[in-house]
Structure formats: C-alpha cells, structure tokens
Amino acid sequence: MSGIIGSDRDFRGYGSAPPAVRWPGDARLAVSVVINIEEGAELSLGQGDERNESVYEVVEEISGVRDLCMESHFEYGPRAGWPRIRKLLQDYGVRGTMNANGRSLAISPWLAREGVTDGHEVAAHGWRWERHANMSEDEERLAIARTVEAITAAAGVPPRGWHTRSATSPNTRRLLLEQGGFLYDSNAYNDDLPYLVGVEGRDHLVLPYAFDTNDMRFQRGGGFVFGDDFARYCIDAFDRLHEEGADAPRMMTVGLHLRIIGRPGRIAGLERFLAHAASKPGTWFARRDEIARHWLRETGREELIDGR
C-alpha cells in the first residue's frame, strides 16, 4: 500500500519539552481529587427515563419495570458513602472537585451545599449519567444548559469545569464555549498535564482525567478487590509523578465515587493514599479550577481565565 495517512489526533503533546511551570509553593505535584456525584442521575424508569441503569457491582438490566434494587445501590452513595468521604477529606484538609451531574444536585442539593462549605469546587458532569457521543446537537445543548442551571441553583455559583461520562460528541467543546462560563473541560485521558486545544479559532484548556487512579476499578473486571489495591496503585503513581516533578510539572487525578470508595471495606484505601501523599513535601492538593487558573497564568494566557 502507498499514500500518506493523515490524522487530526495529537500523539506528541509536549514531548520532552513541557512548559516551565512551577506549582504554588514550588510543589512538585498537583494532586486533583475528583469526587463524582452521579447518584440520582443514573438511568431509571422511576425517574422517567427510557430504561434502567445496568452497570454497578454486577452488570444486570431489568427491563419494563422499575429496578428498585439498582436504585437502592445508587442511594448508598449520598446516604452512607459521602459522609465517610467527606470526613476523610476534612481530616486531611483536602479540597477537591465535586464532579456532579445536574440531576443529582437537583434531587440532592445538600450535597453541593456541604461541598461548598468544605471548600470544594462543584463542576459539571452532564445532566444525566450518560454518554454524549450519539446526542444530536440540540439534545446536547439542552443537556449542558440544564446542568449549568441545576448546579448554579444548588451550589450558588455556576460550574467552571465540564466532564462528560466517558464519550463526548464532536460538538461538546464548541457547545461548552457557546454556553459560556467554562474555564476547562476534562474530556481527555491523554496526558499528565493541562494543555490547550483550538475550538473554532479559540483556545480552550483541557485538564486530562484518569481511569487508572480511580475507584471505578473496583467495579466488575477492574482489577481492584481490596482497599489496599487502590492505595498501592495510587501510591505508586504518586511516587513516580512526585519524582518526575523535580524536573517538570506533573498533575495527578484521583477519581472517587460516593457509592464505590465510600464502602466500609474500601475507604481505608483512600485514607492510606491521602496519608502517604500528605506526608510528602511538595504536594499540592488542589481543585481543578485552581490548577486551571494557575496553569493559564504561568503560561501567559490569563485572558482565558475570565473569557466568558
């Protein structure tokens, strides 16, 4: 075969020359703890959706009738998981980002109020807990607007960050800019640093997310069984990034879910990780909006911070 293969994908990134950015206090590593708030936004006939959610500890879908079992699984997160996670973050003085579905906070606005009281950022995770990949432009535009409205009502301030459940549509970033008010999105998994992308002639900041340093790996086939599995993996990732941070900026994302890490048999894994990270000099636990603002200032793009 002959010919040139083209692609609009970026496999190089910063390469061996990342920006010369130093974190506040000359920290080696920015650690972003993301608390996903999805409960009440999962698909449910009881909420008027077209079908029931099928993904939890096991994969099972009940069709045609309300799935009270699945609803109960998701209810565990706000009822029992959140108080455990909240106390642990308070104990270690960690401020993170609550990645919230709009419908979750419309149903449980107290989650946002408690998070804001603790100093957390409330970012957007879509209206429902669903992918956007196959949405029409009008459907996605409405989902973004409803999410912003619900989070603003619950948290008292509009969200500055966005993260679609896994798969976005080709229109997502353009529609976020059209909506206005967004500082960054986390709809990428391809780097350990923030970076800019072009969206119809405008620059837009991306803070990559991570599926490996994430409690979702306790789910079926994910590889984590014991709380220590989570701790060991996250500590290994932290130690390597902290070491690399002596020479170049590094960012680490730790993904949490109320109904997953909030279980009593798993929460100790989070505590072990937080204790380890907090014991290391040069660790900056930061909200994602804080990371975004600092990165833009350090790279000379302050105009993007309030570019609404």
Side-chain angles (χ1 to χ4, degrees), residues 103-126:
R103 194 168 78 181
S104 295
L105 295 189
I107 294 171
S108 304
W110 52 271
L111 288 170
R113 290 195 294 268
E114 291 183 355
V116 169
T117 296
D118 293 350
H120 300 307
E121 169 196 12
V122 183
H125 197 29

Side-chain angles (χ1 to χ4, degrees), residues 248-265:
R250 289 291 183 264
M251 182 182 86
M252 178 181 180
T253 297
V254 180
L256 309 176
H257 298 75
L258 306 187
R259 64 191 180 280
I260 301 178
I261 201 70
R263 290 281 176 177

Side-chain angles (χ1 to χ4, degrees), residues 62-255:
I62 302 299
S63 301
V65 296
R66 188 172 177 179
D67 187 349
L68 298 178
C69 178
M70 186 65 76
E71 291 179 13
S72 182
H73 282 308
F74 274 80
E75 289 163 10
Y76 185 90
R79 291 167 63 107
W82 167 240
R84 286 194 185 99
I85 296 169
R86 185 187 187 197
K87 183 179 186 305
L88 202 53
L89 296 178
Q90 288 174 332
D91 288 347
Y92 284 90
V94 172
R95 299 195 312 165
T97 293
M98 298 178 77
N99 202 34
N101 286 120
R103 194 168 78 181
S104 295
L105 295 189
I107 294 171
S108 304
W110 52 271
L111 288 170
R113 290 195 294 268
E114 291 183 355
V116 169
T117 296
D118 293 350
H120 300 307
E121 169 196 12
V122 183
H125 197 29
W127 172 246
R128 300 191 305 186
W129 188 52
E130 62 184 345
R131 299 171 181 87
H132 282 208
N134 294 315
M135 281 187 179
S136 70
E137 186 170 326
D138 287 343
E139 288 174 326
E140 187 169 21
R141 181 180 287 110
L142 177 60
I144 292 171
R146 294 183 77 186
T147 305
V148 170
E149 181 181 6
I151 290 177
T152 303
V157 292
R160 300 301 311 273
W162 179 278
H163 181 205
T164 308
R165 177 189 173 184
S166 299
T168 64
S169 84
N171 302 314
T172 303
R173 285 187 175 134
R174 175 172 57 80
L175 293 175
L176 291 177
L177 292 178
E178 177 187 297
Q179 171 71 34
F182 286 101
L183 176 63
Y184 70 90
D185 78 60
S186 295
N187 295 329
Y189 310 84
N190 53 3
D191 212 314
D192 298 315
L193 290 175
Y195 61 88
L196 292 172
V197 295
V199 183
E200 294 195 341
R202 298 172 61 183
D203 285 335
H204 174 71
L205 187 66
V206 177
L207 268 64
Y209 193 63
F211 276 1
D212 62 326
T213 48
N214 195 307
D215 68 0
M216 63 184 284
R217 293 187 58 201
F218 282 111
Q219 300 285 42
R220 183 179 181 183
F224 289 171
V225 177
F226 303 105
D228 199 48
D229 296 334
F230 176 87
R232 288 174 61 191
Y233 189 92
C234 289
I235 287 171
D236 282 349
F238 173 91
D239 285 347
R240 174 53 63 94
L241 292 169
H242 189 272
E243 180 181 344
E244 294 176 358
D247 302 312
R250 289 291 183 264
M251 182 182 86
M252 178 181 180
T253 297
V254 180

Side-chain angles (χ1 to χ4, degrees), residues 260-279:
I260 301 178
I261 201 70
R263 290 281 176 177
R266 296 169 178 160
I267 192 71
L270 175 60
E271 183 164 19
R272 291 185 193 113
F273 168 73
L274 292 177
H276 179 84
S279 73

